[in-house]
Amino acid sequence: MRKVTSLFAAAALTVGGIHFAAGIKDAAAQDYKDEYGVSTVVPEPFPWGIAAETWADLVAERTDGRINLRVHPGAELVQGNQTREFTALRRGSIDMAVGSTINWSPQIKELNLFSLPFLMPDYEAIDALTQGEVGEDLFNILEENGVVPLAWAENGFRELTNSQHEVRTPEDLEGLKIRVVGSPLFNDIFTTLGANPTQMSWADAQPALTSGAVDGQENPLTIYTNLNMHELGQDYVTLWGYVADPLIFAVNPDVWNSFTEEDQKIVREAAVEAGQVGIDAARDGLVPPDTSLIEEIEAEGVEVTRLSEEERQAFVEATRPVYDEWAQEIGEDLVRKAEEAIENR
């Protein structure tokens, strides 16, 4: 605080009224909470947790301790029910969150955009959406629905794993029991591909995979490696990048409005920087020429299948009816804008 106070004092020598403004800022800061809860799903060393913890560290440092964020992984602030997170944030039960677009899609249908099967062929396509007009449109929608979005991070492309056999064609999925997240769009995708999708929490999924009650699952490879899924019998990995899961830094409006403009700027800029740290972590070892994370998985004896363009296209065509149906639900104008942004990336 000494440094900040001295800066305001210096400003008061040259500009009338600044010292008084500083007094207002100090008074406002006295009304700040001792600690602000940040909801997230997974902790460090997952990229998601890295992004959240980096945000907390940067904010504490740059506000000289005026604003202290405490990260609560495991969606513990909503008793582990990830899909309730957005509602809790909007109502003020949660101060802040680094949330999944998948988990928030039940309340914000437009966020299903990122779960349209095979919309995004590569990381540049994700960036074309989140860092362009589509991302701005989605942030406007979030604001209209009662939260203040600040920045993007990333959980990564979701890849397919199973314990039974290599999956190289849509027919290879026939009859496989696949654990999916709690979104009807994911149910539709895997049902269309002939699999048997099963929605369950991750706490239930781990023993189900171990016992063979469930054959496979879909998650980013950073989740696969950090949880040692090869030890759960997930011996086959298919790199198909069928959907991605961008993350959003957001704040409850009442909390946001309680901050001074100076602190709002600090919190927002810290979120942007932390988001980039999380994105880099989510892509580390997965973007050619550095594919070291994939090589680590193969070193465990796991069979990793890399689809050719023709093989991937077979999945694209098989899931096209789901894509078209959900494009109408999401909003055809938004989907069209996303397609054009990706084509022009």
Side-chain angles (χ1 to χ4, degrees):
M1 289 295 294
R2 182 178 300 170
K3 180 179 179 182
V4 174
T5 303
S6 64
L7 286 174
F8 283 126
L13 295 176
T14 55
V15 182
I18 295 297
H19 185 70
F20 178 69
I24 294 175
K25 290 177 184 292
D26 290 341
Q30 291 176 6
D31 295 331
Y32 287 3
K33 294 183 180 181
D34 292 336
E35 182 177 272
Y36 294 90
V38 180
S39 179
T40 190
V41 172
V42 294
E44 295 179 303
F46 301 93
W48 197 335
I50 290 171
E53 292 290 354
T54 300
W55 189 26
D57 291 343
L58 290 175
V59 169
E61 175 187 345
R62 294 175 182 179
T63 62
D64 292 324
R66 288 192 305 279
I67 301 176
N68 296 294
L69 313 186
R70 180 185 174 192
V71 178
H72 294 262
E76 66 180 17
L77 297 179
V78 284
Q79 295 74 52
N81 188 340
Q82 302 169 16
T83 57
R84 289 182 52 234
E85 186 178 68
F86 182 84
T87 299
L89 178 64
R90 178 169 53 192
R91 291 177 177 173
S93 303
I94 293 174
D95 298 318
M96 306 179 184
V98 181
S100 159
T101 51
I102 294 173
N103 290 341
W104 291 5
S105 64
Q107 288 79 39
I108 307 297
K109 66 179 183 179
E110 290 86 356
L111 292 180
N112 284 294
L113 176 73
F114 299 105
S115 297
L116 281 177
F118 303 100
L119 168 66
M120 297 164 287
D122 50 37
Y123 289 105
E124 289 182 356
I126 299 177
D127 293 339
L129 300 186
T130 60
Q131 307 305 314
E133 287 188 18
V134 171
E136 293 175 4
D137 289 347
L138 291 172
F139 272 19
N140 288 335
I141 291 169
L142 288 169
E143 283 209 67
E144 291 167 1
N145 281 272
V147 306
V148 181
L150 304 180
W152 294 94
E154 193 170 296
N155 196 25
F157 277 109
R158 301 178 75 89
E159 311 294 7
L160 178 68
T161 77
N162 83 95
S163 61
Q164 299 300 309
H165 54 247
E166 179 186 42
V167 173
R168 189 175 285 276
T169 69
E171 290 74 23
D172 293 330
L173 270 166
E174 186 71 35
L176 287 183
K177 293 170 286 187
I178 305 294
R179 180 265 178 181
V180 296
V181 297
S183 164
L185 175 48
F186 286 74
N187 260 352
D188 289 351
I189 291 171
F190 281 92
T191 299
T192 296
L193 290 171
N196 179 14
T198 303
Q199 292 183 349
M200 61 176 64
S201 69
W202 187 248
D204 293 331
Q206 294 186 71
L209 290 168
T210 302
S211 67
V214 172
D215 298 314
Q217 61 85 53
E218 47 77 54
N219 255 311
L221 290 185
T222 54
I223 301 288
Y224 181 95
T225 54
N226 278 301
L227 292 180
N228 295 316
M229 284 194 200
H230 64 281
E231 297 178 358
L232 302 180
Q234 297 299 287
D235 296 328
Y236 300 92
V237 173
T238 299
L239 303 180
W240 64 344
Y242 81 122
V243 303
D245 186 17
L247 308 175
I248 298 171
F249 291 75
V251 182
N252 170 268
D254 291 337
V255 171
W256 183 251
N257 291 330
S258 74
F259 295 155
T260 64
E261 289 186 9
E262 174 195 10
D263 285 339
Q264 287 179 349
K265 183 173 185 290
I266 291 172
V267 172
R268 186 186 297 276
E269 290 178 351
V272 172
E273 289 185 38
Q276 189 58 57
V277 170
I279 289 169
D280 292 343
R283 300 180 184 185
D284 187 31
L286 293 172
V287 182
D290 177 14
T291 57
S292 55
L293 188 63
I294 298 171
E295 291 158 14
E296 287 176 21
I297 294 172
E298 290 178 312
E300 297 290 349
V302 176
E303 184 171 342
V304 177
T305 299
R306 298 164 175 81
L307 300 180
S308 67
E309 187 56 41
E310 292 76 15
E311 289 169 332
R312 187 177 185 276
Q313 187 60 32
F315 285 99
V316 173
E317 293 172 1
T319 56
R320 191 67 198 189
V322 177
Y323 185 108
D324 291 339
E325 178 182 350
W326 276 88
Q328 295 180 36
E329 174 71 18
I330 293 164
E332 292 183 338
D333 289 345
L334 180 63
V335 172
R336 190 177 305 110
K337 182 181 284 189
E339 293 170 341
E340 291 173 355
I342 291 171
E343 183 177 350
N344 297 325
R345 69 190 184 283

